[in-house]
Amino acid sequence: MTQPIELWYWPTPNGWKVSIALEEMGLPYELKPVNIGRGEQFEPAFQAISPNGRMPAIVDPDGPDGQPLSIFESGAILQYLALKSGQFYPEDVRKRVEVDQWLFWQVGGLGPMAGQTHHFRQYAPAMIKDQRQIAYGVRRYTDETHRLYGVLDRRLADREFVAGDYSIADMAIWPWILPTHQGQDLAEFPNLAAWLDRVGARPAVKAGRAVGDELRGNLGAAGKDAEDARKLLFGQRARKA
C-alpha cells in the first residue's frame, strides 16, 4: 500500500468493528472523525462516501484496480478488508459461509436490536418526561437482546470463537456486547462471558476499541449540547436531493 486507508469514524460499536479489523490486519489507516453529535454525517463530502449518512465508511486509495474505492456499511467493509489482507476470512467456501452467517446475524440482528435497547434505556429517558411512554420499548428490546445473548451463548458452548477460527464475525459481534448498557447479566451467559474476555484480551482488539475514545461524549446527559445532539441523531426524516 502506498497510502493509508481513510477511516471515516466515530467511537461507537459500529465504528469499533472496523478500527479493530484494521488493527488486527495490520493495515495502515488514517482517522477521519465524523462527529455524529454535530451532524457531520450529513455533510456532502461524507455523504458522497456514505449515501446512508452513517459511519463507518472507508476510502481505500489503492483499490483492486489501483484506483480509490469507497465503501460504506460495516459488514461490507469487514469483508473487503478481510479479502484485501487475506486474513480472518476462510478461503474454503463452507467455512466462509459460516463466517458470513454470523457476520450478517450481527448486522441484521444483534446490532439493530441492541441499538434500540441503547436508545430506549439510555437516550429516550432524557427526551420523554413520561417514562410510561417508553416502558414497552425498554422491555421489548431488552428482552430481544437477552434472546440474542442466549443464541450466542449456546453457539459458544463448544467452541472458542463464533465461526471456527477467530474471524471478522467475532470482530463484528464483540463491540455490541455491552451488558451494562443493555440491561443484561453475563452471569446468565457463561460461554458468552468467557468469549467476551478472550476476544477482549487481544492486543489489536484493545487498540481498535480505544481509537478516538477521547472524542466520545454522553448522549444521554443533561445540557444543551447533549440535547442538540439527540435532536440531530433521532429526529431525522428523508432528505430531498
Side-chain angles (χ1 to χ4, degrees), residues 101-102 105-106 110 143-159 162 173 177 188-189 191-192:
Q101 290 180 125
W102 288 95
W105 177 84
Q106 187 282 310
L110 178 64
D143 286 352
E144 177 61 6
T145 301
H146 186 274
R147 186 189 73 81
L148 291 166
Y149 274 41
V151 171
L152 194 54
D153 190 68
R154 291 193 300 275
R155 176 67 179 177
L156 291 163
D158 59 354
R159 67 196 72 219
V162 173
I173 296 167
I177 304 298
E188 296 184 63
F189 307 104
N191 304 316
L192 170 55

Side-chain angles (χ1 to χ4, degrees), residues 25 28 63 94 97 106 123 127 142 169 173 181 209 216 226:
M25 296 169 189
R94 290 184 180 274
V97 168
Q106 187 282 310
Y123 310 136
M127 302 168 68
T142 301
I173 296 167
H181 296 310
R209 171 60 178 78
R216 190 173 172 85

